[in-house]
Amino acid sequence: MVGFKPTDVPPTATVKFLSAGTAACIADLITFPLDTAKVRLQVQGESRGPSRVPAGPQYRGVLGTILTVARTEGPGSLYSGLVAGLQRQMSFASVRIGLYDSVKQFYTKGSEHAGVGSRLLAGCTTGALAVGLAQPTDVVKVRFQAQARAAGSRRYQGTVDAYKTIAREEGLRGLWKGTSPNVARNAIVNCAELVTYDLIKDALLRGGLMADDLPCHLTSAFGAGFCTTVIASPVDVVKTRYMNSASGQYGGAVHCALTMLRKEGPRAFYKGFMPSFLRLGSWNVVMFVTYEQLKRAITAARAASVAPC
C-alpha cells in the first residue's frame, strides 16, 4: 500500500474511527512488552501500604526489565493485561485518533487551514472523551502489568475477575480511579502526539520535502513519539502510580505526585523514560503508518464498490 494514491473522496469519520482502533490494536500487540517494562519501572520504589518500606531496585533498564520479568515470571507476563489493553485501544484510540480530524473541522468550521489553537483544542477534546469512555479498561490494564506473578501477590486471575474484584472491593469508583490524572495525561498526550504528527506532516508536505507516503509517515510519527514522551512522562508516571495504588494510599493524584516528589525526588517523574520513548516511538510509527494505509485501503475499496461497471 506504500505510495497508494488517495481517491478524490476523503475517508469518512466511520472509516477513520475503525481504522484508528484497528491500527492501535496492531501497535499494542507489537509494543506491549515495552509498555509492561515502562509500568514496572514507574511503580518501582513505591510502597504498597503505610507500614511498608519501598523495596530496592528490582528492575534496571528496558532490556533488563524485560529479561527479568521473562526469567522470573515467564515470557507470558510481558503480555499480562493485553486483553484489557486491546479493549482499551478499540474504545480509546478510535475516539481520540479517529475523531480528531472531524472535531478539528468542527472547530475550524470546515476550513482546511487549521491553526495550532484549533488542533490543540481538538486534541484535548477527543482525548478527554476517550478517557471518559475507556477509563475502566486502562485501570485493569495497569493493574495487570504492575502485578508480579513470581512474588505470589497476584491480585487478579483474569480480565473479567479484575473488573469484578475491583468493583467489589473498591466500588464502581475503583474502576474510574485516576480519571483526573488520566484526563490530564491524555489531553497532553493527544495534543503532543496528534498535533505534532499533524504539524510535522503538514510542514513536510507543504515544503515539498516528502510526498504523502511511508517515509513521511515514519518521520512524522517518530517526531511525535519523542515530543510526546518528553512532555507527558511526569503525568504518565503519576497516573500509573495512582491507578496501581492500594485503596487509601493516596488522597488523590496531587497527593500522589507530592509524595513521589518528597520521597523519591524530581527524577521519579521520569522513571521509565526510555521504555516510554521506545514504546511511544515504535507505537506511533506502527499505529500511524497502519492508520494511514487502512484509511486509504478502505476508502479505495468503498469507492471501487460503488463505481459503475
Side-chain angles (χ1 to χ4, degrees):
M1 298 302 299
V2 176
F4 181 78
K5 294 183 179 180
T7 61
D8 294 332
V9 180
T12 63
T14 301
V15 169
K16 294 177 182 177
F17 186 88
L18 295 175
S19 298
T22 303
C25 285
I26 293 172
D28 246 28
L29 283 169
I30 295 173
T31 64
F32 208 79
L34 290 171
D35 195 35
T36 299
K38 178 203 74 172
V39 170
R40 292 294 182 93
L41 287 167
Q42 286 178 338
V43 301
Q44 182 168 251
E46 74 169 340
S47 58
R48 292 288 301 165
S51 62
R52 292 275 302 277
V53 177
Q58 179 183 2
Y59 308 113
R60 297 184 183 278
V62 184
L63 181 59
T65 300
I66 291 175
L67 292 176
T68 298
V69 172
R71 184 179 66 253
T72 59
E73 304 171 39
S77 290
L78 292 169
Y79 283 89
S80 184
L82 178 62
V83 174
L86 295 179
Q87 291 173 349
R88 173 180 179 270
Q89 291 299 352
M90 280 307 299
S91 56
F92 181 72
S94 297
V95 173
R96 79 176 184 91
I97 299 171
L99 298 185
Y100 170 75
D101 286 336
S102 299
V103 174
K104 183 174 66 175
Q105 290 174 1
F106 171 78
Y107 284 128
T108 58
K109 303 186 187 309
S111 174
E112 294 184 1
H113 303 289
V116 176
S118 299
R119 300 181 203 230
L120 290 173
L121 192 57
C124 287
T125 301
T126 58
L129 287 173
V131 171
L133 180 65
Q135 181 67 10
T137 62
D138 204 9
V139 171
V140 171
K141 179 184 80 77
V142 167
R143 296 283 183 92
F144 264 107
Q145 288 178 311
Q147 71 177 0
R149 293 182 181 178
S153 58
R154 292 187 65 186
R155 290 190 274 174
Y156 315 111
Q157 302 304 314
T159 305
V160 175
D161 177 62
Y163 285 114
K164 291 181 178 178
T165 301
I166 293 172
R168 183 177 64 252
E169 295 180 353
E170 305 174 40
L172 289 177
R173 292 181 62 182
L175 289 169
W176 299 91
K177 191 173 187 177
T179 299
S180 296
N182 211 15
V183 167
R185 184 252 184 194
N186 281 291
I188 294 171
V189 166
N190 224 36
C191 288
E193 191 174 81
L194 294 178
V195 175
T196 303
Y197 179 84
D198 215 10
L199 290 173
I200 293 175
K201 180 181 174 183
D202 193 43
L204 292 173
L205 295 178
R206 287 181 180 274
L209 300 175
M210 292 183 178
D212 190 2
D213 53 16
L214 182 59
C216 177
H217 304 157
L218 286 171
T219 303
S220 303
F222 185 82
F226 180 76
C227 292
T228 302
T229 309
V230 172
I231 295 171
S233 274
V235 181
D236 190 35
V237 174
V238 173
K239 181 212 77 166
T240 300
R241 287 285 187 94
Y242 187 57
M243 281 184 177
N244 186 58
S245 64
S247 181
Q249 183 176 355
Y250 300 116
V254 174
H255 179 229
C256 177
L258 292 175
T259 301
M260 286 173 54
L261 180 63
R262 185 177 67 254
K263 293 185 176 180
E264 304 171 55
R267 293 180 62 181
F269 293 98
Y270 280 92
K271 277 191 171 182
F273 179 84
M274 187 52 66
S276 290
F277 171 60
L278 290 176
R279 196 260 177 177
L280 269 176
S282 57
W283 192 92
N284 271 271
V285 167
V286 175
M287 193 285 298
F288 277 117
V289 169
T290 306
Y291 177 49
E292 296 277 10
Q293 298 305 310
L294 280 174
K295 280 193 303 182
R296 297 179 180 204
I298 296 174
T299 302
R302 290 181 69 251
S305 66
V306 298
C309 297

